[in-house]
Amino acid sequence: MAFSSPSFLKCHPWTQSQNPPNPFSLPPPFHPPKPISLPFSSRHVRVSSVSSTVLPSKAKELLEDFTPKQFLDTLRQENDETSAFHLFKWASKQPHFTPTLSIYEEILRKLGNVGSFDLMKGVLDDMKKLKVELVEGTFFIFIESYAKFVLYNEAIKVLDMMWNEFGVKPGIFSYNSLLNVLVDGNKLKFVEHVHSRMLDEGVKADVSTFNILIKALCKTHQIRPAILMMEEMPVHGLVPDERTFTTIMQGYIEEGNLDGALRIRDQMVSAKCLASNITVNLLIHGYCKEGRIDEALNFVQDMCSRGFSPDKFTFNTLINGLCKAGHAVQALDILDLMLQDGFDPDVYTYNILISGLCEVGEVQEAIELLNQMLVRDCTPNTVTYNTIISALCKENQVQEATEFVRVLTSKGFLPDVCTFNSLIQGLCFTGNFNVAMEMFEEMKNKGCQPDEFTYNILIDCLCAKRRIVEAMNLLKDMESSGCARSVITYNTLIDGFCKDKKIEEAEEIFDQMELQGVSRNLVTYNTLIDGLCKSKRVEDAAQLMDQMILEGLKPDKFTYNSILAHFCRAGDIKKAADIVQTMTSNGCEPDIVTYGTLIQGLCKAGRVEIASKLLRSIQMKGMTLTPQAYNPVIQAIFRRRRTNEAVRLFREMQETANPPDALSYKIVFRGLSSGGGPIQEAVDFSVEMMEKGHIPEFSSFYNLAEGLYSLSREETLVQLVGMIMKKANFSDSEVTMIKGFLKIRKFQDALATLGSVLNSRNPKRTYWG
């Protein structure tokens, strides 16, 4: 009989695993309370030695001849453990009063909640002296309390204390209780020891024992052994119950295998084991977890037809699943059904919906839901408000978000670091950096300590503005405030220095990371390698790539593409080809950026035919070509005055690749307007270009305008100028001035004014090469 062996669990090695979330409930994370400070020593002090000279306040509520039941009710209402203990000591001294087992257990629980274990032991000793009959349940209070404070060795020692000191033999209840807290605490190696001891002492396992051990196997992702254990239960005269089946189902679901869970459900049905809401809700959770929302809804309807009544967890699970799948608006319909069925949504329900609505851009709908929440007397929490504030900022409604916070603050809401971070990030993204810094100072003045994210937002913004000195000052402020600096902080600074062409300073930051004990990642190396390559220090970049490999980081496409771009800019096609070859041999498949960079290099070196062939070979690989791959070839062909071929290639890009970008249109327009083809073709293309939202580059348009003027096509010129002014949103005064020049045929003045306005709005950009 395999189960009777003390080494039963050794064939399934226990490994530590993360405790999967329980789909049956969504409690807040547990934080053990601090032990209470009692007005006497808690070390080796007997309860009988403690006395109170002050009458406890709760004692005044008791009748003079109070009964044990009345006292127990009063004791349960006392939330302060110190006061509860004084009350208990006072009552114990009353001549007519003798504490019952229930009263002793209640005071043990209260002491256990705050970790006063020596006092608990003193109470137990007093119970022994007074000959109070002790039961297994009394000792479970000790097991549970020790486990709460992660004292699992002490919890196991309770078994010895029971028998050796108090003569209570641990039975199946004690062992199951201990095994369960060990499994829940992920102390799975202890489980085997306790289970072996249980078998050695002749304690027969029951269904609960099997369920606990099955739970342990599922927590270590050993689903198949868990199923075998369930199948072994009838050998011991035991029948699997709903908990047995649902534990294995949950194991499958946590592994992302809903179909496996459904197979176990079929076994449960075949075994004629009745399913409660727990089983149904677990499977609904499984469907939603895998994004199979339609199946979840169909499953609920099918279960309802079989007598299932959805509960609050059912509705919350469906709402959560719909929101995670991007169907927050449809989730509102489930909310309506929930209300119709008489269930009051809680803050968790509303937070899911508000977050889901914000994710799909329905911020106003989220705010309306917040108002509904308030009307229904459901108090929002910080998460509720911060979700809306963050969403408003992401929608560039920073002013509205700021005003929202001001109103909330006036009503007693205290902004936390998440609130300030959302506002600061929104202000930075909308170009209000100075206001963001004011918010940063206000945050500190209000006693809200900035975190790493706060500093990273501001440092990133300063680096983007090339204000590196100020960014470094913020880094120092971050250090002095004791805020941890992560790899993200340093990567941001390295990137800022590289973009500002201060490569030596970037290297200093890179070295500083090692001194500060911050591990460098792939982004760190890639950023500095790219900066070195752009500074024409490719040998240093190659050495850095070797160092990167020694540190266990594998170069990726970005690494190789940076070095490749350097050789392409230098026109060294042979070395560029070698880089692509090395990249491929190292198992890093070239991407469209790689090929686009190589095509640029070939075109710059005048090897247009090879670039065209490479373009065709990329198409044969099934890659979707980007404008970055086409543009250099089209531009090179235009330069060779092969206008028809260049236009054909542009049309091919429109039909088979990613849509042309602004540079694509400018290249073609420049080629057509510089005398590369019939002037009408250039006119038609300029109209097409503006219809696509791209304004012609003025220098190219000037060439076209001169051609139209020389051909006496002033009317066409006036129409094109009018289209440009409309597309570029010229002011009324600008339009009036230019139209005035055109009306009196001062075309040069009209074009000069047009060019001046366009260039002031769009700083001159140079083409590659």
Side-chain angles (χ1 to χ4, degrees), residues 340-635:
Q340 288 173 24
D341 276 17
F343 293 101
D344 287 325
D346 54 19
V347 67
Y348 173 78
T349 316
Y350 280 111
N351 282 353
I352 293 170
L353 277 163
I354 287 171
S355 178
L357 288 166
C358 288
E359 283 291 326
V360 295
E362 297 287 346
V363 184
Q364 292 307 313
E365 189 83 34
I367 292 172
E368 288 178 19
L369 198 60
L370 172 64
N371 293 329
Q372 181 193 123
M373 189 176 178
L374 294 167
V375 168
R376 297 191 66 83
D377 291 329
C378 182
T379 305
N381 58 19
T382 306
V383 174
T384 321
Y385 291 127
N386 282 343
T387 302
I388 293 175
I389 292 162
S390 177
L392 286 169
C393 290
K394 286 176 183 175
E395 295 284 327
N396 291 331
Q397 299 181 48
V398 184
Q399 187 175 348
E400 291 85 345
T402 306
E403 182 57 31
F404 185 59
V405 173
R406 302 290 183 211
V407 171
L408 291 174
T409 304
S410 68
K411 294 182 178 180
F413 168 73
L414 293 176
D416 63 6
V417 66
C418 294
T419 317
F420 281 108
N421 283 348
S422 295
L423 293 172
I424 289 170
Q425 186 176 42
L427 288 165
C428 287
F429 285 169
T430 53
N432 295 300
F433 180 75
N434 291 335
V435 183
M437 285 302 296
E438 289 173 11
M439 185 74 69
F440 175 67
E441 293 302 327
E442 180 184 345
M443 175 183 188
K444 292 192 287 186
N445 292 336
K446 288 185 179 293
C448 184
Q449 182 64 36
D451 63 6
E452 180 195 337
F453 187 73
T454 322
Y455 283 104
N456 285 346
I457 295 166
L458 295 170
I459 288 172
D460 182 58
C461 194
L462 284 167
C463 288
K465 292 174 176 292
R466 304 289 194 268
R467 292 160 64 174
I468 307 297
V469 175
E470 292 172 73
M472 288 300 293
N473 288 336
L474 264 183
L475 181 69
K476 291 176 184 175
D477 183 42
M478 193 175 182
E479 182 179 3
S480 63
S481 68
C483 183
R485 289 149 293 161
S486 72
V487 65
I488 296 171
T489 314
Y490 286 104
N491 286 351
T492 303
L493 285 165
I494 291 170
D495 184 55
F497 277 122
C498 287
K499 285 178 178 173
D500 205 29
K501 296 184 170 42
K502 293 181 177 177
I503 196 68
E504 290 80 11
E505 288 87 339
E507 289 176 294
E508 287 178 17
I509 296 292
F510 181 85
D511 294 336
Q512 193 182 118
M513 290 179 73
E514 187 172 13
L515 296 173
Q516 295 292 335
V518 179
S519 298
R520 296 175 287 227
N521 61 15
L522 194 61
V523 175
T524 318
Y525 277 99
N526 282 345
T527 305
L528 190 52
I529 286 170
D530 189 57
L532 288 166
C533 289
K534 286 175 179 174
S535 297
K536 301 181 181 179
R537 291 173 53 187
V538 70
E539 293 301 325
D540 292 333
Q543 287 179 12
L544 195 60
M545 189 162 79
D546 291 339
Q547 179 183 334
M548 170 185 181
I549 294 168
L550 287 173
E551 289 196 14
L553 296 170
K554 187 178 180 181
D556 64 0
K557 293 170 186 177
F558 189 90
T559 322
Y560 288 111
N561 287 346
S562 294
I563 298 176
L564 176 68
H566 165 78
F567 288 121
C568 287
R569 282 193 295 268
D572 193 337
I573 300 303
K574 184 180 183 305
K575 284 190 177 179
D578 290 341
I579 293 296
V580 176
Q581 181 62 43
T582 303
M583 183 178 180
T584 306
S585 61
N586 287 340
C588 185
E589 193 63 30
D591 61 4
I592 193 61
V593 176
T594 312
Y595 288 119
T597 304
L598 191 55
I599 286 170
Q600 283 186 348
L602 287 166
C603 290
K604 185 174 182 180
R607 302 168 76 172
V608 183
E609 304 307 324
I610 297 175
S612 297
K613 287 181 181 178
L614 181 57
L615 200 63
R616 298 296 170 218
S617 69
I618 299 169
Q619 287 176 318
M620 296 295 290
K621 289 177 182 285
M623 286 188 178
T624 302
L625 293 170
T626 62
Q628 287 72 28
Y630 273 101
N631 289 347
V633 181
I634 294 170
Q635 186 177 33

Side-chain angles (χ1 to χ4, degrees), residues 162-325:
M162 288 173 68
W163 178 244
N164 295 337
E165 297 182 37
F166 298 93
V168 178
K169 187 171 184 180
I172 190 61
F173 175 81
S174 299
Y175 276 104
N176 284 348
S177 300
L178 181 56
L179 286 169
N180 196 50
V181 297
L182 291 172
V183 172
D184 287 344
N186 275 329
K187 296 298 175 183
L188 303 178
K189 287 188 177 181
F190 289 158
V191 171
E192 181 180 350
H193 164 72
V194 173
H195 176 250
S196 297
R197 174 174 172 171
M198 170 184 159
L199 296 178
D200 289 343
E201 293 186 3
V203 178
K204 187 178 179 182
D206 62 5
V207 174
S208 293
T209 316
F210 274 92
N211 288 345
I212 293 163
L213 295 174
I214 286 170
K215 179 168 68 171
L217 287 168
C218 289
K219 282 169 80 74
T220 55
H221 310 290
Q222 299 186 74
I223 308 295
R224 183 57 190 161
I227 294 171
L228 292 174
M229 183 177 282
M230 179 177 70
E231 292 171 351
E232 190 181 338
M233 289 176 71
V235 176
H236 300 274
L238 302 171
V239 178
D241 61 8
E242 182 188 18
R243 185 175 292 276
T244 318
F245 289 109
T246 54
T247 300
I248 297 175
M249 285 185 217
Q250 183 173 344
Y252 269 124
I253 287 169
E254 294 305 327
E255 289 194 345
N257 185 357
L258 175 62
D259 292 332
L262 292 172
R263 289 195 298 271
I264 297 298
R265 187 224 174 196
D266 291 340
Q267 288 185 34
M268 183 177 175
V269 172
S270 299
K272 297 182 180 179
C273 177
L274 295 177
S276 69
N277 278 30
I278 291 175
T279 304
V280 178
N281 283 337
L282 175 63
L283 291 170
I284 295 168
H285 165 75
Y287 279 116
C288 291
K289 186 173 182 283
E290 292 190 11
R292 295 158 64 173
I293 306 300
D294 288 340
E295 291 176 76
L297 294 170
N298 291 334
F299 177 68
V300 173
Q301 286 185 334
D302 180 48
M303 288 296 99
C304 287
S305 68
R306 298 168 187 263
F308 167 69
S309 296
D311 56 21
K312 193 170 184 176
F313 183 85
T314 314
F315 288 113
N316 279 347
T317 304
L318 289 171
I319 287 170
N320 188 42
L322 283 163
C323 288
K324 290 283 175 64

